[in-house]
Amino acid sequence: MGLARRIIPCLDVDQGRVVKGVNFVDIRDAGDPVEIAARYNEQGADEITFLDITASHEARDTTVHTVEAIAREVFIPLTVGGGIRSVDDIRTMLNAGADKVSINTAAIHEPELVRRASERFGAQCIVVAIDAKRVDDVIVEGVATPRYEIFTHGGRRPTGIDAVEWARRMAELGAGEILLTSMDRDGTRDGFELGVTRAITDAVDIPVIASGGVGNLQHLVDGVIEGGADAVLAASIFHFGEYTVGEAKAAMAAAGIEVRL
Amino acid sequence: MSGTVAVIDYGMGNLHSVESALQHVGADQVVVTHDADLIRQADRVVFPGVGAIRDCMAEIRRLHCDQLLDTALREQHKPVLAICVGMQALMQRSEENDGVDCLGLIDGDVRHFGAPLTDADGQRLKVPHMGWNGVQQARPHALWQGIPDGERFYFVHSYYVHAQNRDLVAGSVQYGVSADAALARDNLFAVQFHPEKSHRAGLQLLRNFLDWNGTC
């Protein structure tokens, strides 16, 4: 027996409600985050990720209360991301009951935050979220190689930073895990962008969570077998009752992937 | 009756999850504290730990938690459960942070998983060892009650315990090496995994701890 590949349902939460958009627009309401987290816990989810997509800063208190409520009911690891900008923000979420905190834009503005956070709280609770988008191929001696760049603002703003290089740098600074989202695929249900998933899982020694684009259970299998992901994250396939976490695990097990059943 | 459970708080990281998991499985009262009187009066003690070992050891000593733990273990003979870095702190020495002396309550050391780490098939293994892995029970124990051999628990660590006296090993986990997942001696049970994050199996272990009379 070895380490199981993890299935992580993701709650995108806006002002205290779980929502899920297609390419970050056309947001549908999926319900109460505490109820949904408890349901996934019962179904055998290996972890829960909670992404706060609330734009306004005033709603942060709602987020803290929701995280507290989830942590009282759910006895599996809980990651909280969205709007984490400082060591204080991280402390607030860990004190509210998060086990890990996911840092995204703030790491781009201030990479040293990752180092400070990792030294202060331990690498095990620092996840760096990378939103990658495919850009023009790099041509070296006539051979085209795909290139992926980091984007911010829901995939609208390029940064010029190479995603694979960035993942390496974040691991060196002390990230304990990478949450990789393909902005080309997020919300499309076309499956993970396997090229960037494989490139990053091969480039770093820390675990990588694949995210963005899951539309069916085969996509989860592909993320592990072809992408090499240590964990797979999905939202909408679980929220609307299409599949349970248990069914997802059964499909992965049937494909020869070790899972916690 | 579980009585009062004292969760020793030496200021490293969030202990809410340990507290709420103990409450969830029916602890009469849980106190998260480094207050000497409260810990002395408690019926059971949990010794958790998160973070880097050097900082943990410094705070454990500064707040005299080492003496409180020793009293609970060897004078009061209370049931004690050590978790993760709490387990590592019981050993003589850790390789983490260029080598740190620990409490020396159990002979043995804490080692890095090493790199490159591979499994039996030569597959590369990532460090930290993060996620759900199976625990092989080395022998029966009250804390394994109702938990099948090989059950998966949630681990997150880059260093692992190796006890010198192999008779103390209550459970092991395979991750490139065979690591001690659980040690048991008299009224002490120590686990590398996080029972408070290990869903049903973890909650069952905590429930067993509340029922345990502290004999091995």
Side-chain angles (χ1 to χ4, degrees):
Chain A
M1 189 187 294
L3 197 60
R5 304 287 174 149
R6 290 167 280 153
I7 294 190
I8 308 177
C10 177
L11 314 180
D12 297 84
V13 180
D14 185 16
Q15 299 179 50
R17 296 289 290 177
V18 175
V19 294
K20 184 64 201 181
V22 175
N23 281 335
F24 276 76
V25 289
D26 184 24
I27 285 170
R28 286 166 84 180
D29 186 281
D32 173 50
V34 182
E35 261 170 46
I36 293 174
R39 191 203 307 157
Y40 296 149
N41 180 50
E42 269 313 295
Q43 290 177 3
D46 296 311
E47 297 186 19
I48 303 268
T49 288
F50 178 111
L51 290 182
D52 180 18
I53 61 167
T54 310
S56 74
H57 211 71
E58 299 78 62
R60 298 297 284 174
D61 284 351
T62 315
T63 306
V64 171
H65 293 315
T66 311
V67 170
E68 283 170 348
I70 293 175
R72 273 195 299 272
E73 289 199 29
V74 169
F75 299 102
I76 56 175
L78 173 65
T79 301
V80 178
I84 303 290
R85 293 187 181 88
S86 64
V87 164
D88 280 345
D89 288 343
I90 297 171
R91 185 182 295 112
T92 301
M93 288 308 169
L94 295 177
N95 284 340
D99 298 287
K100 312 182 203 179
V101 167
S102 165
I103 307 174
N104 190 341
T105 317
I108 296 165
H109 294 316
E110 193 197 354
E112 278 298 307
L113 173 64
V114 174
R115 185 199 301 277
R116 285 205 311 276
S118 178
E119 280 172 1
R120 176 68 188 82
F121 304 107
Q124 83 288 335
C125 68
I126 304 302
V127 182
V128 171
I130 295 181
D131 292 344
K133 209 164 168 176
R134 189 164 175 177
V135 292
D136 292 343
D137 290 358
V138 184
I139 317 272
V140 182
E141 292 171 2
V143 180
T145 308
R147 184 171 182 277
Y148 302 90
E149 205 177 284
I150 308 279
F151 277 67
T152 60
H153 298 79
R156 293 189 304 277
R157 198 174 293 180
T159 63
I161 302 168
D162 179 82
V164 178
E165 281 309 309
W166 184 247
R168 256 193 218 113
R169 182 157 173 229
M170 291 297 105
E172 279 162 17
L173 282 175
E177 202 170 28
I178 299 284
L179 167 55
L180 170 66
T181 302
S182 159
M183 300 314 288
D184 299 306
R185 298 299 178 90
D186 202 46
T188 63
R189 304 173 64 86
D190 291 338
F192 296 120
E193 169 67 57
L194 297 169
V196 69
T197 309
R198 176 50 80 178
I200 289 181
T201 52
D202 284 349
V204 296
D205 287 322
I206 55 176
V208 175
I209 306 164
S211 155
V214 174
N216 61 48
L217 302 182
Q218 184 58 38
H219 291 153
L220 300 175
V221 171
D222 294 342
V224 171
I225 292 181
E226 291 180 37
D230 300 281
V232 285
L233 179 143
S236 55
I237 61 161
F238 298 130
H239 294 339
F240 301 104
E242 233 171 308
Y243 301 103
T244 64
V245 176
E247 287 166 345
K249 288 192 165 181
M252 286 172 70
I257 298 169
E258 221 171 316
V259 291
R260 175 177 74 106
L261 289 171
Chain B
M1 288 289 281
S2 72
T4 298
V5 185
V7 178
I8 300 184
D9 179 11
Y10 47 92
M12 294 294 295
N14 144 42
L15 304 175
H16 291 304
S17 51
V18 177
E19 183 186 14
S20 55
L22 286 165
Q23 285 164 342
H24 186 83
V25 297
D28 297 325
Q29 200 190 350
V30 183
V31 289
V32 178
T33 183
H34 57 258
D35 182 276
D37 290 335
L38 288 176
I39 294 171
R40 260 190 224 108
Q41 286 156 18
D43 300 289
R44 292 159 204 281
V45 172
V46 174
F47 185 54
V50 181
I53 192 77
R54 192 201 292 128
D55 295 348
C56 283
M57 287 310 307
E59 289 307 290
I60 287 167
R61 294 204 165 100
R62 188 176 70 81
L63 296 167
H64 305 296
C65 293
D66 45 349
Q67 291 157 24
L68 295 170
L69 186 67
D70 198 55
T71 305
L73 275 173
R74 297 203 270 212
E75 287 174 31
Q76 299 182 308
H77 305 286
K78 286 176 197 170
V80 174
L81 175 65
I83 300 173
C84 193
V85 178
M87 176 200 203
Q88 299 184 357
L90 301 173
M91 310 310 291
Q92 290 168 298
R93 194 169 168 75
S94 171
E95 282 181 7
E96 195 177 356
N97 304 130
D98 303 319
V100 172
D101 285 328
C102 301
L103 298 173
L105 290 165
I106 296 180
D107 289 348
D109 55 350
V110 186
R111 306 170 177 178
H112 190 248
F113 270 114
L117 188 69
T118 53
D119 68 10
D121 304 324
Q123 290 290 310
R124 183 177 63 136
L125 298 174
K126 299 195 170 184
V127 177
H129 173 220
M130 182 188 286
W132 300 81
N133 207 340
V135 173
Q136 286 78 45
Q137 298 173 11
R139 57 184 166 93
H141 191 284
L143 267 72
W144 293 139
Q145 184 79 41
I147 300 170
D149 190 16
E151 182 68 88
R152 290 181 188 273
F153 289 87
Y154 188 81
F155 288 85
V156 50
H157 59 129
S158 300
Y159 294 81
Y160 68 94
V161 164
H162 184 85
Q164 221 166 66
N165 179 355
R166 306 307 292 160
D167 292 341
L168 301 185
V169 178
S172 56
V173 61
Q174 308 305 314
Y175 195 65
V177 296
S178 181
D180 296 349
L183 298 177
R185 187 180 67 194
D186 307 325
N187 52 327
L188 170 66
F189 198 83
V191 292
Q192 177 64 65
F193 51 82
H194 288 271
E196 76 282 11
K197 287 290 156 188
S198 295
H199 199 207
R200 288 196 190 94
L203 295 174
Q204 182 61 44
L205 188 135
L206 293 176
R207 205 173 281 124
N208 293 341
F209 174 65
L210 298 183
D211 292 337
W212 186 34
N213 62 8
T215 56
C216 221

